[in-house]
């Protein structure tokens, strides 16, 4: 939407006018977009809204339960349409089978609309207010993760493994009375190596604290224990502006990439 910014108008003013004024060109675009692409778009939008509430994604059965859909061909076709149109993406959990596939909302406009435009009141300086709100960092983290997951080929290139056969997936461990663990992006390589990628959004260089270093250690140990992998496991940090070089980075992370790697 930056193409719609008028001469003499700041980016913040332009976004306010385009998204948050009564007649903003993107204010009512959500329903128009889905209705123009799909028959019976109400169910498509139900799925999108359900996924927007779950940044880490939902399985097919969880989508059916959340949206009160039927478990049949109609739902299969609808999910396929949303995937092929680029609104949602699918990810296989590490070591799981097809029925465990995870669906995630990865369309940038839909994520932004449902978080900030839907239900907002028109007014000046809305964008400035939103970027200073407590939820901004959380939404930014989800958006940054989606961008990283769309650029796995660039990530592989900058890790120096572009020619290595890999499988990209996610991994979660949930068990009662035991701390859980989650891997944002897992690159399982044919050279007997696995990269556990931690995706972290930050407005400056990311700081690995003592607490987070302990979390990284526990996550890596949990992954190795629960998957029983014999492969070498590396922890890779994917951040916006890099990681501060301190004892915790050198002790608990093996390498890092910044967002610049995603667009080269």
């Amino acid at each position: 939407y930056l193409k719609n910014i008028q001469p003499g108008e700041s980016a913040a003013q332009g976004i306010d006018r385009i998204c948050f004024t009564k007649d903003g060109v993107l204010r009512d675009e959500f329903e128009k977009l889905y209705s123009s692409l799909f028959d019976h778009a109400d169910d498509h939008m139900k799925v999108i809204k359900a996924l927007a509430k779950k940044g880490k994604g939902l399985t097919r059965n969880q989508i059916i339960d959340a949206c009160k859909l039927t478990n049949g061909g109609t739902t299969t076709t609808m999910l396929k349409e949303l995937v092929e149109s680029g609104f949602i993406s699918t990810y296989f959990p590490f070591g799981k089978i097809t029925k465990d596939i995870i669906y995630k909302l990865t369309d940038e406009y839909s994520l932004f609309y449902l978080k900030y435009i839907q239900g907002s009141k028109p007014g000046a300086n809305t964008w400035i207010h939103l970027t200073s709100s407590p939820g901004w960092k959380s939404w930014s983290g989800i958006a940054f993760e989606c961008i990283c997951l769309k650029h796995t080929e660039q990530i592989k290139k900058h890790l120096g493994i572009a020619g290595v056969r890999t499988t990209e997936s996610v991994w979660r461990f949930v068990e009662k009375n035991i701390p859980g663990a989650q891997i944002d992006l897992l690159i399982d390589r044919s050279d007997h190596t696995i990269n556990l990628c931690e995706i972290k959004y930050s407005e400056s260089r990311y700081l690995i604290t003592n607490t987070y270093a302990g979390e990284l250690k526990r996550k890596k140990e949990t992954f190795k224990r629960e998957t029983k992998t014999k492969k070498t496991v590396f922890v890779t940090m994917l951040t916006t502006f890099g990681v501060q070089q301190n004892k915790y980075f050198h002790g608990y992370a093996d390498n890092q990439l910044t967002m610049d790697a995603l667009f080269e």
Side-chain angles (χ1 to χ4, degrees), residues 13-29:
Q13 290 172 329
I15 294 173
D16 269 346
R17 177 175 53 79
I18 295 165
C19 299
F20 300 110
T21 59
K22 182 178 180 181
D23 300 317
V25 295
L26 293 182
R27 186 169 185 85
D28 300 317
E29 189 68 17

Side-chain angles (χ1 to χ4, degrees), residues 39-253:
D39 295 329
H40 312 295
D42 285 347
D43 283 341
H44 292 75
M45 288 186 284
K46 283 182 184 178
V47 172
I48 295 297
K49 290 177 180 179
L51 290 175
K53 296 177 182 178
K54 298 291 183 180
K56 300 306 179 183
L58 296 170
T59 64
R60 173 192 169 92
N61 287 337
Q62 288 172 332
I63 291 173
I64 290 172
D65 290 342
C67 301
K68 295 180 172 54
L69 303 174
T70 58
N71 187 6
T74 301
T75 297
T76 299
T77 299
M78 177 176 56
L79 292 174
K80 183 178 179 181
E81 288 174 342
L82 289 170
V83 171
E84 292 181 346
S85 301
F87 291 104
I88 66 178
S89 299
T90 57
Y91 302 94
F92 285 94
F94 180 77
K96 300 294 184 179
I97 58 179
T98 303
K99 70 180 184 68
D100 298 306
I101 195 170
I102 292 175
Y103 295 86
K104 298 182 68 172
L105 174 58
T106 51
D107 175 61
E108 288 80 4
Y109 169 70
S110 297
L111 282 165
F112 183 77
Y113 173 87
L114 293 171
K115 178 66 176 179
Y116 291 116
I117 299 180
Q118 179 180 246
S120 65
K121 296 180 179 179
N125 301 318
T126 300
W127 178 246
I128 297 297
H129 173 72
L130 289 176
T131 55
S132 60
S133 65
W136 172 255
K137 187 174 182 180
S138 174
W139 175 83
S140 298
I142 294 172
F144 181 58
E145 180 179 327
C146 288
I147 292 173
C148 289
L149 294 175
K150 289 181 177 181
H151 291 81
T152 54
E153 290 304 313
Q154 290 90 334
I155 291 171
K156 287 177 57 179
K157 175 184 175 182
H158 283 269
L159 287 174
I161 58 171
V164 178
R165 183 170 60 85
T166 64
T167 301
E168 289 75 50
S169 59
V170 297
W171 184 76
R172 298 176 184 174
F173 171 71
V174 180
E175 193 71 37
K176 288 184 178 180
N177 304 320
I178 301 176
Q182 179 167 304
I183 307 298
D184 301 321
L185 170 63
L186 187 151
I187 303 176
D188 187 10
R189 299 157 44 175
S190 61
D191 58 358
H192 211 68
T193 304
I194 294 176
N195 289 87
L196 304 183
C197 299
E198 283 283 291
I199 301 174
K200 293 296 181 182
Y201 171 84
S202 178
E203 295 181 358
S204 58
R205 293 177 70 84
Y206 188 80
L207 175 65
I208 298 179
T209 62
N210 180 43
T211 300
Y212 181 58
E215 182 181 336
L216 284 177
K217 180 182 179 182
R218 180 184 60 79
K219 187 177 294 190
K220 182 177 179 178
E221 291 174 346
T222 301
F223 174 78
K224 294 174 71 174
R225 182 187 70 242
E226 296 300 323
T227 63
K228 298 179 174 57
T229 183
K230 301 300 183 184
K231 293 188 174 184
T232 301
V233 178
F234 291 135
V235 174
T236 299
M237 300 296 299
L238 301 178
T239 63
T240 42
F241 300 109
V243 182
Q244 293 187 32
Q245 303 293 301
N246 62 10
K247 63 180 181 180
Y248 299 119
F249 171 76
H250 294 293
Y252 296 93

